[in-house]
Amino acid sequence: MTLDIRAFLFDLDGVITDTAEFHYLSWKRLCEEEGIPFTREDNDQLRGVSRRESLNRILKARAIDEATAQAWMDRKQGYYLQYLDTITPDMALPGVRDLLLEAKSLGIKRAVASASKNAKPALEKLELIDLFDAIGDGYSVVHTKPAPDLFIWTAGRLDITPTQGIVFEDAEAGIDAALKGGFWTIGLGSADVSRAHVRLPNLAGARVGDLLAKLSEPSLT
């Protein structure tokens, strides 16, 4: 099968910038205030999922009313935004800016597809927002990862089919969502992204031609 790649779709946290520590500190503060145990191992289970699903996992089947849940999420969001204010352009992860610029020069469309509701302000602070043709975030769809809806919605904004897009993800939920949607996938980092078509430690030194060559290997196509 000949590849017809026309777009790259990037997750935000852990792919473009690493705000995972911000999320951890924000949830940790909330949990300490409410007397809920919360460890880094618990935080690892929140990668790639929405704020509401994150809270569900933190509560571990403990029931709270929806008004309380919303108030807690708002508090966590307030804490996170305080940390977000500290983001600077040099906090883009290695290789990201170079890959975006190369993709742009080759006519490959670029998009963010993140469950985060803070994607736009983060990209503005990173001074990367102008390098993207579309931004899909936590406001874009009802069902976020591991449902494929966010990637499909973003692909529609780019006017591509799923098989014309490569999704860059660092979370199991994100890889599962992209595969369900019919996209090519590149898994990054040390989390469980074993189902991705290609795995890389990060995007440092990544070149478009090399990525397409990996996806074109006979075992994948």
Side-chain angles (χ1 to χ4, degrees):
M1 182 173 67
T2 301
L3 289 180
D4 179 23
I5 300 301
R6 303 188 184 186
F8 290 169
L9 290 75
F10 298 83
D11 183 31
L12 177 67
D13 294 331
V15 175
I16 293 174
T17 189
D18 191 358
T19 60
E21 186 69 9
F22 295 168
H23 286 292
Y24 167 71
L25 293 171
S26 301
W27 283 121
K28 181 71 171 174
R29 180 174 173 182
L30 174 71
C31 288
E32 287 176 347
E33 291 169 349
E34 297 299 334
I36 301 170
F38 185 70
T39 66
R40 288 193 178 274
E41 289 71 27
D42 293 325
N43 189 66
D44 288 342
Q45 303 307 309
L46 312 185
R47 298 170 68 92
V49 301
S50 68
R51 196 179 306 157
R52 188 65 178 90
E53 178 59 21
S54 293
L55 182 58
N56 290 342
R57 295 184 184 192
I58 289 169
L59 291 172
K60 298 175 181 170
R62 171 183 166 184
I64 61 173
D65 62 81
E66 194 57 34
T68 300
Q70 188 60 55
W72 286 7
M73 288 189 292
D74 289 346
R75 273 165 56 200
K76 183 270 178 183
Q77 172 71 351
Y79 302 150
Y80 177 77
L81 289 176
Q82 292 175 19
Y83 291 114
L84 195 65
D85 280 340
T86 69
I87 287 183
T88 57
D90 62 1
M91 291 178 69
L93 289 174
V96 169
R97 195 179 304 271
D98 289 342
L99 183 60
L100 289 170
L101 289 169
E102 185 189 11
K104 181 178 180 180
S105 72
L106 294 172
I108 296 173
K109 297 177 181 179
R110 292 90 43 223
V112 168
S114 168
S116 172
K117 293 183 175 180
N118 305 294
K120 290 180 181 178
L123 291 170
E124 288 170 350
K125 288 187 170 295
L126 291 166
E127 297 182 1
L128 291 175
I129 196 164
D130 291 339
L131 291 178
F132 291 99
D133 300 296
I135 297 173
D137 59 18
Y139 296 106
S140 301
V141 296
V142 174
H143 302 293
T144 56
K145 307 167 191 178
D149 303 32
L150 182 58
F151 292 124
I152 293 171
W153 183 92
T154 307
R157 292 281 170 161
L158 296 173
D159 195 26
I160 65 162
T161 64
T163 56
Q164 293 172 328
I166 300 174
V167 168
F168 295 79
E169 267 282 357
D170 75 321
E172 181 180 13
I175 292 296
D176 288 348
L179 292 174
K180 288 175 187 175
F183 294 84
W184 293 97
T185 54
I186 294 181
L188 303 172
S190 58
D192 184 6
V193 290
S194 58
R195 287 186 289 278
H197 293 101
V198 171
R199 295 186 65 182
L200 297 172
N202 52 55
L203 291 175
R207 300 299 300 272
V208 172
D210 294 336
L211 298 177
L212 297 183
K214 288 180 180 293
L215 289 174
S216 298
E217 291 177 0
S219 61
L220 297 178
T221 58

